[in-house]
Amino acid sequence: MRPSQEGISYVVGDEKRLHDVLIDTEVIPLLEGAVQAGADNVTILDPDGIEIWSATQRPFLAEPLVVFSLKLEGEPVGTINVFGDQDSKPLLFAVGKLLAVALNAVISNNLKRILTTEIHTTVVNTSFEQLVEINQQLSQSEARYRDLAESLEKRVNERTFELKKAHSHLLQQEKMAAIGQLAAGIAHEINNPLGFITSNLHTLQKYVNRLSAMLFFFKDLNKIGSTTTTLIEQAEQKWQELKIDTVCTDVGDLLSQTLTGAERVTNIVADLKGFSHVDEVGLIDIDVNREIELTLSVLCHQLKNKVEIVRDLQPLPVIKAQAAVLSQVFLNIIQNAIQSRGDGLRVTLATAWDGKRIRISIADNGPGILPEHRGRVFEPFFTTREVGAGKGMGLAVVYDSVLKLGGTVSVADAADGGADFIITIPQGKE
């Protein structure tokens, strides 16, 4: 290392591994501290996946909860794997991040010390002229690597931005697809009452024409001046010909059915408007139980005669949130349950309040989710369905939406053997 007008030039030594720059007494206390902070197990693996150090508190799952990289001169030389309970993921993420920062700092400091020693040895055993020449070559090489690193960093940032943009676009597409599917069902629900309303109106139009014909017939009879007996006979004949008795008997039922159908359409539109919150922007006061009922109302075409709904909705305080976001969460989870099983599906919806957060449980008696898949069900594009049966974005939308509400979402085994999606939401966004 020597000073120059451009700054400090560094001489880089031979390739190093984790064992070259870290020792047990530096690593083990940090791993044990992470375990004491709540992790079930913390391991450090080399690039070949071989365990180097570990600290264990209790048995752990086969897949780590969070993984962080250890780097040496910008190159990965190992990984920190933190195992623990899915519900403690935010805490363990912070613990793992702190552990990674600490170990990377130790690696950096130790590497500087090692390189200083190597440089000192080289200086002692190499002539000044050779050192100058080698240093010049290394400085040129370092400059090229720095340029390459800056170029790569720029490309990585650009690519990261593109991926985030694509991810947001896919989430929006999934939301639109769910709304499109919902709209198709709503259209079918509206078309049913509209069909018999239209049919009844056509029948009423015929009845009105018959009644009008009868009235005009009476008007014309008065002008003829026939005897009373003749008038009665002709009127009775015309009455039978136009089937006025049937008209009078049927018209009341037709009007009642038509009004009922119109009310049904009005209720469907009102439920859909309430579910979409089209007139409400930003954070508003929301009744979670009402949002659940609105979601069930707009999904009635998918639920009736096929799905048993069990409600255990406890009194809840209102929360301050974006209503449309919460509706999207309920819609996607319930639709996911419907797709998981055909006949005999039962969906249980339960709510509770612990004084700080609202807890919502949406459980079904479907096939459930395997333990090895639970850590991935909220990942974009992850699906256990056959190719073409799903894009794996529905639960990713749920996860993204719950995060926007400042809450958490997890999945567990339901009492009936299916999946139980548990959502917690603060009364005010934290």
Side-chain angles (χ1 to χ4, degrees):
M1 180 178 67
R2 68 178 179 84
S4 66
Q5 291 182 347
E6 292 79 11
I8 297 177
S9 299
Y10 293 91
V11 177
V12 181
D14 296 333
E15 182 177 354
K16 301 290 188 300
R17 298 176 66 85
L18 273 178
H19 267 309
D20 297 327
V21 293
L22 288 176
I23 59 177
D24 294 353
T25 55
E26 293 174 325
V27 179
I28 295 300
L30 292 175
L31 299 187
E32 291 176 346
V35 169
Q36 292 175 2
D40 289 346
N41 179 275
V42 183
T43 62
I44 295 181
L45 308 180
D46 67 12
D48 298 325
I50 299 173
E51 183 177 302
I52 306 175
W53 297 284
S54 69
T56 305
Q57 178 170 280
R58 60 177 66 89
F60 54 92
L61 297 176
E63 295 291 334
L65 192 62
V66 291
V67 177
F68 292 92
S69 177
L70 294 176
K71 295 185 177 181
L72 186 63
E73 288 293 295
E75 295 294 329
V77 290
T79 57
I80 301 172
N81 296 268
V82 181
F83 300 81
D85 185 12
Q86 179 71 29
D87 293 336
S88 301
K89 186 173 182 179
L91 171 63
L92 296 185
F93 180 89
V95 170
K97 183 67 174 178
L98 182 61
L99 182 59
V101 171
L103 285 176
N104 278 316
V106 173
I107 290 171
S108 178
N109 290 334
N110 287 355
L111 180 62
K112 292 177 182 179
R113 175 177 52 79
I114 292 171
L115 291 180
T116 301
T117 303
E118 290 179 352
I119 293 170
H120 178 73
T121 303
T122 302
V123 170
V124 171
N125 295 286
T126 307
S127 68
F128 178 76
E129 291 78 9
Q130 290 174 319
L131 285 174
V132 171
E133 182 181 354
I134 293 172
N135 191 56
Q136 288 176 345
Q137 294 174 355
L138 289 175
S139 297
Q140 293 173 358
S141 177
E142 183 187 9
R144 290 195 298 270
Y145 282 125
R146 287 184 184 276
D147 291 341
L148 177 60
E150 291 176 359
S151 176
L152 287 174
E153 183 179 4
K154 181 179 179 181
R155 291 174 61 185
V156 167
N157 290 336
E158 291 175 351
R159 185 58 177 163
T160 301
F161 175 77
E162 292 174 359
L163 289 173
K164 288 182 178 179
K165 186 176 180 181
H167 179 245
S168 298
H169 181 65
L170 286 170
L171 288 178
Q172 189 62 30
Q173 279 187 328
E174 180 64 22
K175 293 178 182 179
M176 296 304 295
I179 292 173
Q181 182 181 0
L182 179 64
I186 293 295
H188 178 72
E189 283 295 296
I190 290 177
N191 282 335
N192 283 337
L194 281 182
F196 69 75
I197 288 174
T198 302
S199 175
N200 286 354
L201 288 176
H202 283 303
T203 302
L204 284 171
Q205 186 178 38
K206 295 177 183 178
Y207 286 175
V208 169
N209 290 338
R210 291 184 189 181
L211 292 172
S212 297
M214 193 71 211
L215 290 173
F216 281 113
F217 177 77
F218 277 123
K219 181 179 180 182
D220 292 338
L221 281 181
N222 291 331
K223 295 179 180 179
I224 295 175
S226 301
T227 63
T228 302
T229 303
T230 302
L231 290 175
I232 292 173
E233 291 177 352
Q234 291 178 342
E236 180 65 24
Q237 182 179 356
K238 190 66 174 178
W239 186 277
Q240 296 299 328
E241 178 185 333
L242 295 176
K243 300 179 180 180
I244 301 301
D245 286 331
T246 301
V247 171
C248 293
T249 301
D250 201 24
V251 70
D253 291 338
L254 285 176
L255 287 172
S256 177
Q257 292 174 4
T258 302
L259 289 173
T260 300
E263 290 173 359
R264 173 62 182 154
V265 172
T266 300
N267 291 336
I268 291 173
V269 173
D271 288 342
L272 183 59
K273 183 179 179 181
F275 169 81
S276 65
H277 297 278
V278 65
D279 298 328
E280 299 165 347
V281 179
L283 301 179
I284 61 172
D285 289 336
I286 296 174
D287 181 345
V288 172
N289 289 337
R290 179 176 179 273
E291 294 304 316
I292 291 175
E293 294 293 352
L294 285 173
T295 304
L296 293 174
S297 295
V298 299
L299 284 173
C300 63
H301 60 283
Q302 297 183 46
L303 301 176
K304 62 182 179 182
N305 303 324
K306 296 186 297 183
V307 182
E308 177 188 357
I309 299 296
V310 179
R311 295 171 173 84
D312 183 15
L313 307 179
Q314 303 301 316
L316 302 174
V318 296
I319 64 172
K320 190 74 85 172
Q322 290 180 301
V325 174
L326 187 60
S327 300
Q328 186 79 51
V329 170
F330 297 151
L331 175 68
N332 281 35
I333 293 180
I334 296 174
Q335 283 187 330
N336 188 72
I338 294 172
Q339 294 166 2
S340 70
R341 176 172 176 167
D343 296 334
L345 176 64
R346 179 170 58 256
V347 178
T348 303
L349 300 109
T351 59
W353 165 248
D354 65 4
K356 293 182 179 180
R357 299 173 72 86
I358 289 176
R359 185 182 187 274
I360 305 154
S361 169
I362 304 177
D364 61 64
N365 63 341
I369 298 173
L370 295 175
E372 58 266 31
H373 291 160
R374 288 178 190 167
R376 301 191 60 197
V377 292
F378 299 110
E379 293 180 5
F381 309 115
F382 178 79
T383 179
T384 57
R385 299 194 179 101
E386 297 179 357
V387 176
K391 294 180 292 184
M393 291 298 291
L395 293 180
V397 170
V398 169
Y399 187 80
D400 182 70
S401 299
V402 173
L403 285 184
K404 288 181 179 178
L405 295 170
T408 65
V409 59
S410 60
V411 62
D413 288 330
D416 293 332
D420 185 4
F421 287 89
I422 302 169
I423 304 162
T424 64
I425 304 174
Q427 188 173 11
K429 185 175 179 182
E430 296 175 351

